[in-house]
Amino acid sequence: MKRILIIEDDPSIAELQRDYLEISGYETKIAFSGDEGLKEGLSGKFDLILLDLMLPGIDGFEVCRNLRRQLEIPILMVTAKKEEIDKIRGLGLGADDYIVKPFSPSELVARVGAHLARYERLTALGGKTERDAVSIGDLKILPASRRVYVGNKEVFLANKEFELLLFLASNPDIVFSKDTLLDRIWGVDCLGDTSTVTVHINRIRDKIEEDSSTPRYIETVWGAGYRFKI
C-alpha cells in the first residue's frame, strides 16, 4: 500500500485529504506543522508528499527545499494563493506539481495517482544500463542511475528536471512546444500549466549551462517551444 504524507495545518482540509485518499486505497499520515512535516518526510517512510505552503514553523517553501535535497519522491504543493509567483517559486524548489484551494477531492486523488504511477515507471528504469547514457559535448546523462555530469562535475536535478532534460536530449534537434512537454513529462494537461515547463527549463539551464543567458544545450525557439541542440 502506498503511503502519503499530508503536511497541512488546517485540520478540516487535512482530514478531507486523508479520507478521500484512504477510500482510494492509500495509507496516510498528517503533520500539522512545517517542522513536524519535514521530520516525517525525511524519515523515508512515504511514497508521495502533499505539502501546504502556509504552515506554522517552517513554511512550505523551506520544507520543500529541504525535502528535495534528500528525496526523489513526488511532492505536490497545495496553496490557497493564486498568484503565479507562488506557483513558480514552489516549482523552482523542486515540487512536481501544485494544486490550488479549493480543489475537488477527486482531482486531488487523480493527481496523486498519476504522479505515483509516473514515479514507478521512472524507478522501473533500473533495468537499463549505463550503456544507455546520453553524451553531448561536456554533458553526460546516465538514465539508470539518474545522474548528470557536466565535465567531471556532477549536478543534481529534481525529478521533473531530470525527466525533462533526458527527454529533450534523447530527441535532439526536434522542437517541442510547452504543451507537448507538459503532456509528455507531467502526463496530463490538467496537472499544471505551461509556466511549469518554463520554470523547469530555467532551472535546468542554471545547472548545466556555463552561461544560462546564452544556452548551449537547450535552445528557445520563439513562438514554438524548446529544442535540444547537438
Side-chain angles (χ1 to χ4, degrees):
M1 182 181 292
K2 298 296 184 184
R3 302 194 70 204
I4 313 297
L5 175 62
I6 300 167
I7 307 176
E8 167 64 64
D9 66 321
D10 186 324
S12 61
I13 294 175
E15 289 164 8
L16 177 69
Q17 293 174 338
R18 178 198 63 196
D19 292 346
Y20 273 86
L21 288 168
E22 291 187 350
I23 288 172
S24 300
Y26 300 108
E27 184 178 343
T28 66
K29 182 175 180 62
I30 299 173
F32 291 102
S33 71
D35 302 87
E36 181 188 0
L38 180 59
K39 180 180 178 180
E40 289 288 347
L42 292 176
S43 71
K45 298 177 181 178
F46 300 95
D47 301 288
L48 181 144
I49 295 173
L50 285 171
L51 174 60
D52 187 40
L53 287 183
M54 306 307 294
L55 294 165
I58 307 173
D59 69 22
F61 294 122
E62 192 61 28
V63 172
C64 185
R65 187 198 307 274
N66 283 282
L67 289 173
R68 188 50 82 207
R69 286 173 181 159
Q70 299 187 45
L71 300 177
E72 292 187 354
I73 63 172
I75 299 174
L76 278 63
M77 301 193 87
V78 182
T79 175
K81 294 187 175 182
K82 295 185 179 180
E83 292 86 347
E84 195 66 15
I85 186 64
D86 281 336
K87 299 174 185 177
I88 292 174
R89 188 179 172 201
L91 291 165
L93 291 174
D96 295 280
D97 194 11
Y98 60 83
I99 184 168
V100 178
K101 300 175 186 176
F103 51 82
S104 159
S106 59
E107 179 190 7
L108 175 71
V109 172
R111 292 196 187 196
V112 166
H115 280 286
L116 285 171
R118 205 159 298 117
Y119 183 67
E120 282 191 347
R121 289 197 297 272
L122 284 172
T123 53
L125 287 174
K128 280 181 170 282
T129 70
E130 298 304 6
R131 288 178 296 177
D132 301 299
V134 179
S135 296
I136 298 108
D138 292 333
L139 179 66
K140 188 172 185 179
I141 307 168
L142 307 179
S145 59
R146 296 179 65 78
R147 306 178 85 168
V148 176
Y149 292 87
V150 178
N152 295 320
K153 180 181 179 182
E154 183 175 4
V155 295
F156 299 93
L157 274 63
N159 280 334
K160 294 303 180 190
E161 294 168 1
F162 181 86
E163 293 175 49
L164 183 55
L165 175 61
L166 179 60
F167 176 77
L168 289 170
S170 300
N171 297 277
D173 289 332
I174 299 174
V175 178
F176 293 98
S177 70
K178 293 178 183 178
D179 286 328
T180 298
L181 292 172
L182 190 67
D183 181 64
R184 293 291 185 90
I185 305 304
W186 281 264
V188 290
D189 291 338
C190 69
L191 292 183
D193 55 43
T194 54
S195 68
T196 301
V197 177
T198 304
V199 169
H200 281 71
I201 291 289
N202 290 338
R203 295 281 294 181
I204 294 168
R205 284 173 171 165
D206 287 341
K207 295 176 181 181
I208 70 169
E209 301 282 1
E210 184 175 347
D211 180 358
S212 59
S213 63
T214 55
R216 172 184 178 185
Y217 297 108
I218 302 178
E219 178 183 28
T220 300
V221 181
W222 296 107
Y226 298 101
R227 170 173 57 205
F228 194 93
K229 297 186 296 182
I230 58 172

